[in-house]
Amino acid sequence: MVPYLLLCLSFGYAAALKPTCLSAQFRRPGDYIIGGLFPFGTDTVNLTARSEPTLVVCERLFVGGLIWALGMKFAIDQINNSTSLLPGVKLGYDMHDTCFEPVVALQPSLLFLTRNGTTGIGVLCNYTDYQPRVTAVIGPHKSDLCLVTAKLFSFFLIPQVSYGASSEKLSNTDLYPSFYRTVPSDKNLVEAVVLLLNKFGWNWIGIIGSDDEYGQGAQRLFLSIAGNHSICIAFEGLIPTDLADPKAKNQLEDTIKLINKTKVNIIVLFAFSQSAQALLEHSIRMGLSKKVWIGTEAWMLSDIAASIPNIQSIGTVLGFIMKVGAVPGFRKYVADLFTSVQQDKFCQESRKFNQLMNSDVLDTHCKQCDHISLRDISSMLNLPQIQSVYIAVYSVAYALHRALGCTHQGCPKASIRSWQLLHFMNTLPFKVNGQSFSFDQFHGTNTGYKLIFWSWKNGTLTYLPVGNYEESLYINKSQIQFHTTDQKPTSECFRHCKPGQLRRIKGFHLCCYDCTDCPENTFWSTKDSSTCTPCLKHQWSPVRSTQCYDRNERYLFWNEPLTVALLTLMSVTISLTCLTAVLFLKNLETPLVQASGGKLNLFALFALTLLCLSCCLYIGKPSNNLCMSQQVVYALCLNGCFSTFFIKSLEITLVTEFPRCAPTFLYWVTQRRAWLLVALCLLTECLFCFCYLHLGPDYLVSDYKSLPTEVLLVCNTESWFAFALVHGYNGFLAFVCFLCTFMVQTSGKKYNIARGITFAILIYFIIWIFFIATFVTLKTVLRSVTQIGTILSTSLGILGTYYIPKCYIILLKPDLNTVDYF
């Protein structure tokens, strides 16, 4: 095989100066004609200055278009020689140049629509029986051309199968019901590119496209998909299609400057080879730093882009190309054809076939093909689109096979309308070289992509496969050698936020942001990721949380250590009070007890005992009733004790300060009438308690602010005036007691009863100064602790200053317990 090809190459090179008849090979008559639209040429002459509808001519030959056309010719010749697909039926073909321009592509498209055997298009109400010149159309290659031609062919429902148009617009089967393609749509390509960016953690990228349907359409798709995958677009650029325009150079330079300004390291390029070449040349000339370029086969496999001087300096090139296989026998077929087109006999037969096709109507416009040799195109005979063209032809052939009802014996030469093929193209897969193909609901085929890497070794470019994409992306990262040899390039506008973090936009790009933790008592929800949602009142959450938790109730529990300590102190205080009461009861008739108040002492000690027991009201889960009773019980119990002090203070004052009036008034503060004064004091306190309950008693409050994770159940003071009434009366009694006792003097041989009352009242005042200051400011469980501490310290203060010294005399100094001493 190799010697054969070398022989053909050498022969083709030797005869290159002699024109061939290759241009006459793109038309053949047949039972069913298949039209072909291929870009034989490029660079149209004066298209912008065109003022008359004259013929548009292309200056240069586009070798890729020539090879694709040869792929169609090879497929049809192979089908015609087959004894199983269309036996007894001859397929003809009629291929024309598109020159990459819609204006040029329209002319052969109109020719295809003419009535068979004529040069006119019938204007009819019903085209069911209309028989156009061609049965189906293969091509064109570019999306913007297909968007124009597909509307024409869809009106007549002529099957059109493109081998390169990938625009997502063409997936609309309502607008283009007869359009098919043997390449995936741009949506599949864009999804693959997005997955590639995510695999490497690149989210700050630039996107550039050619200013045509392919580039613009791919950009639109990329923008719509990238945003859903947390990819930020630093800039969008377009490469002008008319590179000869003086403004095109300035536009390209502005694009390069924009890349430098944004400092992106990743550039996605959706463009054809000529546009990509112009951009890359300007990048090299302007000294653009090395980047990662992500491309497509529209330019990555092109010799035009790869042959740019110093192309290695652009950085790393990665991209996706379609998964295609080789077309068996194609290279030999082309070699044989180039040998044949140099033979006069073969050329004469070819020109006769052309005359049968009415070549005078419209030529194929591939005159440059007659001056090209096999050597000129041999390096491009492996273009991936060759298989796409090959499959496109076979899809029409299989549809025709089913429409005609062919068998192995032969096919009936029935009159088949173009629109009748559509049903058969939409159903059943077809096999080409052992591989199964079918059109999906959008009339496309998705064979998947290969990820390739431009690998340079000793100045030689190798397209190295490093991964593949079929719904999911696989990458062999070890085979990719980035231009940053030590590590992969980074290009991040933001870091991926963790759950519980909020995106804070920075700079001018809405998709650039920093990650900020959601604060306490807020959470991050996937339904609204732009803000932190506050928790409900009865819930809480820690920093950077994704959910809220119910708050636990907080109050002074019975089993916590502080409560146990307070209960222990309460028990000690009650025990001391009870022991004191027992001791006073046993010595009730002694001078000491009688001088201290007699039975009134037992009542005062009983009130102190109840006061200590009221500490239990502040422990456990509070309620509105408990909150109301706390201050009332405290005030009444303390009033019971202070009322006895008040009576004793009046007695001392009468004896010491008003001795003349003492005989008259002592009767009211001693004996049984003293109990009337005690009852009067208690009744007055009850009246104030009633006012307190009426004006605004303490009530239960659920405090959600004081504690971060718990709800504090605390008794809150509704009316400070009512609070002052209840406790102010006791303060008034205490103040009177203090005034009546603090100036009383006795001789050293007498016991000073007044001193005990004075110190007890002083301790009470000191404790209440601290209590008020603390009680107003505290909003935690310590508020209950403060009230318990105030009760116990007041009780211990009264016991320690008034009763304990008398117990000491009774127990340890009984000789002082005499009438003279007291």
Side-chain angles (χ1 to χ4, degrees), residues 468-482:
N468 59 76
Y469 171 74
E470 285 184 16
E471 296 183 357
S472 61
L473 178 62
Y474 164 75
I475 303 175
N476 187 353
K477 295 182 180 180
S478 61
Q479 289 187 297
I480 303 175
Q481 299 295 323
F482 289 105

Side-chain angles (χ1 to χ4, degrees), residues 55-165:
L55 186 66
V56 179
V57 180
C58 299
E59 283 188 333
R60 293 188 298 117
L61 175 69
F62 179 65
V63 176
L66 169 62
I67 294 174
W68 298 335
L70 293 176
M72 176 175 172
K73 176 178 171 60
F74 171 62
I76 291 179
D77 287 348
Q78 197 176 59
I79 291 168
N80 286 336
N81 293 328
S82 170
T83 58
S84 59
L85 187 54
L86 291 173
V89 171
K90 205 75 166 178
L91 289 181
Y93 49 89
D94 191 4
M95 305 181 204
H96 291 270
D97 186 17
T98 65
C99 209
F100 288 103
E101 288 292 343
V103 172
V104 180
L106 271 176
Q107 196 172 16
S109 298
L110 292 173
L111 176 65
F112 293 158
L113 296 176
T114 58
R115 193 187 296 270
N116 193 20
T118 70
T119 57
I121 299 177
V123 180
L124 307 173
C125 294
N126 189 337
Y127 286 89
T128 303
D129 296 324
Y130 186 82
Q131 185 64 57
R133 179 183 292 259
V134 297
T135 303
V137 178
I138 305 299
H141 173 248
K142 291 183 68 177
S143 296
D144 50 352
L145 273 65
C146 286
L147 288 171
V148 175
T149 59
K151 289 184 178 179
L152 285 174
F153 297 132
S154 291
F155 176 76
F156 290 85
L157 293 181
I158 297 175
Q160 176 187 5
V161 188
S162 174
Y163 50 89

Side-chain angles (χ1 to χ4, degrees), residues 48 211 237 245 286 434 468 515 546 613 619 636 675 703 706 755:
T48 55
D211 194 6
D245 189 344
M286 294 179 67
N468 59 76
C515 296
T546 57
L613 287 173
I619 303 173
L636 289 173
W675 290 102
D703 182 4
S706 298
R755 285 289 172 266

Side-chain angles (χ1 to χ4, degrees), residues 328-516:
F330 179 65
R331 294 185 67 92
K332 182 178 183 302
Y333 174 82
V334 174
D336 291 341
L337 180 63
F338 269 84
T339 302
S340 300
V341 295
Q342 299 178 54
Q343 300 173 5
D344 293 336
K345 183 178 179 180
F346 182 83
C347 290
Q348 289 176 2
E349 291 178 356
S350 298
R351 294 186 180 100
K352 288 181 182 179
F353 284 130
N354 268 356
Q355 291 174 359
L356 296 175
M357 293 290 293
N358 297 324
S359 59
D360 56 321
V361 175
L362 182 65
D363 200 1
T364 58
H365 303 303
C366 190
K367 296 301 181 183
Q368 300 97 327
C369 296
D370 293 338
H371 301 281
I372 194 170
S373 68
L374 179 61
R375 183 177 182 180
D376 297 326
I377 67 170
S378 60
S379 62
M380 300 183 66
L381 290 178
N382 289 326
L383 287 177
Q385 284 92 346
I386 297 172
Q387 190 190 42
S388 300
V389 176
Y390 188 74
I391 296 169
V393 175
Y394 265 89
S395 68
V396 174
Y398 270 97
L400 193 59
H401 171 90
R402 294 168 189 144
L404 291 172
C406 297
T407 62
H408 290 291
Q409 286 75 27
C411 297
K413 293 183 179 180
S415 177
I416 294 295
R417 302 289 185 263
S418 298
W419 56 268
Q420 292 176 315
L421 296 182
L422 297 181
H423 169 72
F424 299 101
M425 294 191 71
N426 292 333
T427 58
L428 302 178
F430 56 94
K431 285 191 176 182
V432 180
N433 293 330
Q435 189 175 357
S436 181
F437 297 92
S438 63
F439 294 108
D440 58 25
Q441 59 178 334
F442 303 110
H443 294 179
T445 58
N446 185 9
T447 55
Y449 294 94
K450 285 194 297 183
L451 178 63
I452 63 169
F453 164 65
W454 274 17
S455 177
W456 294 93
K457 289 185 179 179
N458 300 323
T460 303
L461 173 61
T462 303
Y463 301 114
L464 182 65
V466 292
N468 59 76
Y469 171 74
E470 285 184 16
E471 296 183 357
S472 61
L473 178 62
Y474 164 75
I475 303 175
N476 187 353
K477 295 182 180 180
S478 61
Q479 289 187 297
I480 303 175
Q481 299 295 323
F482 289 105
H483 58 271
T484 52
T485 53
D486 54 339
Q487 59 183 358
K488 75 175 180 68
T490 58
S491 189
E492 292 183 326
C493 178
F494 60 87
R495 58 190 177 89
H496 290 281
C497 293
K498 297 178 181 178
Q501 290 185 319
L502 178 68
R503 297 176 181 180
R504 296 290 185 189
I505 295 173
K506 61 181 179 179
F508 299 101
H509 296 277
L510 295 180
C511 56
C512 286
Y513 53 82
D514 290 321
C515 296
T516 305

